[in-house]
Amino acid sequence: MGFFIYFYRMNSEELNLKIVAFFETIEKYYGCKTEITEGLFSDYDDLDANLTTWNLSQFDLIRSAYRNNGGRFMFEGQTMYYEISGERIIDFKQPGRHKFEFIEQYSETVFRITKIIFHSIY
């Protein structure tokens, strides 16, 4: 758990505990079809889908890790690689079974939402 030291300094304790719990149990999704929807937006208080730039990726999750150099959470598939900045996460929630959402803040007016759905094998 030592690899989360830098990450812990950047976010609230409650948020950290939720994120760490997610990554401590992510192995159960290895081999699952994984859908990542990423959106860039500029108003955190008003996430308007029509004013957001969206990207969609699908792959089978092979592994995940935390990259200390740069403080990134990584998701990897056969032909796909995706990262989330641990220090920039300002919100994390689980809106449904096997569904998770991260929001990162990159500047005062630039945010990225990452929605992950694991199409569970169980």
Side-chain angles (χ1 to χ4, degrees), residues 18-78:
K18 288 184 200 177
I19 296 167
V20 169
F22 168 75
F23 278 97
E24 285 181 339
T25 61
I26 196 170
E27 287 182 6
K28 68 184 175 186
Y29 295 115
Y30 286 6
C32 290
K33 178 181 167 190
T34 302
E35 183 178 299
I36 294 181
T37 306
E38 166 192 62
L40 297 174
F41 62 103
S42 61
D43 188 352
Y44 180 72
D45 295 323
D46 183 25
L47 175 57
D48 184 340
N50 295 316
L51 300 176
T52 301
T53 301
W54 295 100
N55 295 298
L56 172 66
S57 303
Q58 293 181 344
F59 57 94
D60 291 335
L61 185 65
I62 294 173
R63 70 183 185 121
S64 64
Y66 182 77
R67 179 167 58 90
N68 284 325
N69 186 6
R72 303 290 193 258
F73 292 104
M74 306 179 307
F75 302 88
E76 187 175 344
Q78 184 72 25

Side-chain angles (χ1 to χ4, degrees), residues 22 33-41 47-50 52-59 75 80-84 91-93 95 98-104 111-119:
F22 168 75
K33 178 181 167 190
T34 302
E35 183 178 299
I36 294 181
T37 306
E38 166 192 62
L40 297 174
F41 62 103
L47 175 57
D48 184 340
N50 295 316
T52 301
T53 301
W54 295 100
N55 295 298
L56 172 66
S57 303
Q58 293 181 344
F59 57 94
F75 302 88
M80 180 65 185
Y81 185 82
Y82 191 84
E83 291 187 334
I84 295 173
D91 195 11
F92 171 74
K93 57 186 147 201
H98 312 299
K99 297 178 181 182
F100 304 89
E101 292 182 4
F102 293 87
I103 296 181
E104 299 160 90
F111 300 87
R112 179 172 79 161
I113 184 168
T114 301
K115 298 180 179 192
I116 302 172
I117 299 174
F118 296 106
H119 298 278

